[in-house]
Amino acid sequence: RQQSAPRSSRSSPPRRRHSSPTPLPRGPLSSPSSARDFIGNDVRVVKTLSVGCPNPNLSAREESGKMVYSDPKALGVEGGEKLKKNRFLATTGEREDMNQYWYSNRTIAAMARDVDDVCAADGMRACFLSTPSVYFTLSKEVRERAYCFDLDTQWEKEPGYVCYDFNKPVDFAGAEELKGTMDMVIIDPPFITREVWEKYVETARFLLKPGGAVLGSTIQENAPMMKELLGCEPQTFLPSIPNLVYQYYLYASYESKNLIEKNPEIPE
């Protein structure tokens, strides 16, 4: 969930989590009550992210900005109640300069189960656009057939890694070979605006086979857009993102088996 800021002659779109000139406090989902508090037309101050894939000759540590490690308890890293410890969450900090905010362990597990189910058959492929936490939680069999598209090069040694800048939706290594080969695409853009989502949609359509499945996450107010652009419907299971200041929803273009029940992490 991180990429570069969109190129545009207009003012930059609001940052996905908040757009206030003074950074809003990181904390529980208790405030604010609606994403509309931050996405009004008059709110345009954002923290600009780098444009283009980073220098491959630099190490991830040299490229990285400030690393932030969320409260392990808030993320549910250790698991419990039939939930396994999540290695990705235990070892990977969120980069503020790349707008990284991880889902909770329980949310990742539910999303990964969906991908494992949809792509269970031999030869079926999934592509993760800015959703590394779910990619790295897949079953071994499905992950071997999956791809992790991301701007952050800390995963460049991962066999399925592809450096991806959403400003160049179909300009990435191996594009022609991967075109029309994916059975499922999972999307979590760093911004909530239609302008950015349309670029991710262009990538998804380029990669997907006809009738391929889509799973994405964004705010409730984007439901009509998700239906229009991707044929996705909101799911009952609401994702927990501990450092996100307002509630996201999951959207699927297929009938999910794992997102039909409420997430106990989210209060009524």
Side-chain angles (χ1 to χ4, degrees), residues 13-20 22 24-25 31-46 192 244-246:
R15 186 177 176 180
R16 198 186 81 175
R17 267 63 192 191
H18 54 72
S19 321
S20 170
T22 302
L24 297 167
S31 63
S33 60
S34 172
R36 290 196 183 281
D37 294 341
F38 304 128
I39 61 174
N41 292 330
D42 59 329
V43 181
R44 294 294 179 185
V45 180
V46 301
I192 58 178
L244 181 62
V245 294
Y246 49 82

Side-chain angles (χ1 to χ4, degrees), residues 5 20 68 73 99 178 198 225 246 251 258-259:
S20 170
V68 179
K73 291 183 179 179
N99 212 16
L178 294 175
E198 286 178 341
M225 179 189 72
Y246 49 82
Y251 296 84
N258 302 287
L259 306 176

Side-chain angles (χ1 to χ4, degrees), residues 20-249:
S20 170
T22 302
L24 297 167
R26 296 184 178 196
L29 300 173
S30 57
S31 63
S33 60
S34 172
R36 290 196 183 281
D37 294 341
F38 304 128
I39 61 174
N41 292 330
D42 59 329
V43 181
R44 294 294 179 185
V45 180
V46 301
K47 181 176 180 180
T48 303
L49 306 181
S50 60
V51 174
C53 286
N55 186 341
N57 296 318
L58 296 180
S59 69
R61 287 294 177 186
E62 291 172 317
E63 285 282 5
S64 67
K66 183 179 180 182
M67 303 295 287
V68 179
Y69 287 85
S70 301
D71 181 354
K73 291 183 179 179
L75 287 167
V77 173
E78 296 299 325
E81 297 183 2
K82 299 182 180 180
L83 192 64
K84 296 181 180 179
K85 178 177 180 178
N86 189 291
R87 183 178 178 183
F88 178 91
L89 294 178
T91 60
T92 312
E94 297 168 332
R95 284 182 55 179
E96 287 186 321
D97 63 318
M98 299 191 84
N99 212 16
Q100 292 175 336
Y101 297 86
W102 307 140
Y103 300 114
S104 70
N105 187 0
R106 187 177 299 279
T107 298
I108 292 172
M111 295 175 70
R113 284 195 300 270
D114 247 30
V115 181
D116 284 340
D117 287 347
V118 173
C119 298
D122 289 344
M124 295 190 75
R125 289 174 155 188
C127 182
F128 294 77
L129 304 182
S130 306
T131 49
S133 62
V134 185
Y135 169 84
F136 284 100
T137 308
L138 293 173
S139 63
K140 179 181 178 181
E141 295 75 17
V142 174
R143 181 171 158 187
E144 288 177 346
R145 297 182 259 113
Y147 291 82
C148 178
F149 277 46
D150 211 282
L151 187 65
D152 193 337
T153 57
Q154 68 173 295
W155 302 296
E156 63 184 351
K157 294 183 179 180
E158 172 69 21
Y161 174 79
V162 175
C163 191
Y164 171 70
D165 178 356
F166 72 74
N167 286 304
K168 304 173 182 178
V170 297
D171 182 11
F172 48 83
E176 288 305 313
E177 291 78 6
L178 294 175
K179 182 179 181 181
T181 65
M182 299 296 160
D183 297 279
M184 185 177 190
V185 171
I186 301 86
I187 313 172
D188 183 34
F191 297 92
I192 58 178
T193 59
R194 184 184 181 98
E195 177 186 7
V196 172
W197 262 102
E198 286 178 341
K199 295 180 180 182
Y200 275 84
V201 169
E202 183 179 351
T203 305
R205 290 174 176 169
F206 179 84
L207 292 169
L208 281 170
K209 295 178 181 178
V214 178
L215 175 62
S217 65
T218 186
I219 58 175
Q220 183 180 25
E221 289 84 351
N222 279 346
M225 179 189 72
M226 295 297 287
K227 176 67 174 179
E228 175 194 346
L229 297 179
L230 294 165
C232 289
E233 298 286 353
Q235 303 298 296
T236 301
F237 185 99
L238 300 182
S240 170
I241 309 175
N243 281 339
L244 181 62
V245 294
Y246 49 82
Q247 184 60 57
Y248 258 39
Y249 278 63

Side-chain angles (χ1 to χ4, degrees), residues 2 172 255 261:
Q2 67 286 325
F172 48 83
E255 188 173 343
E261 296 182 357

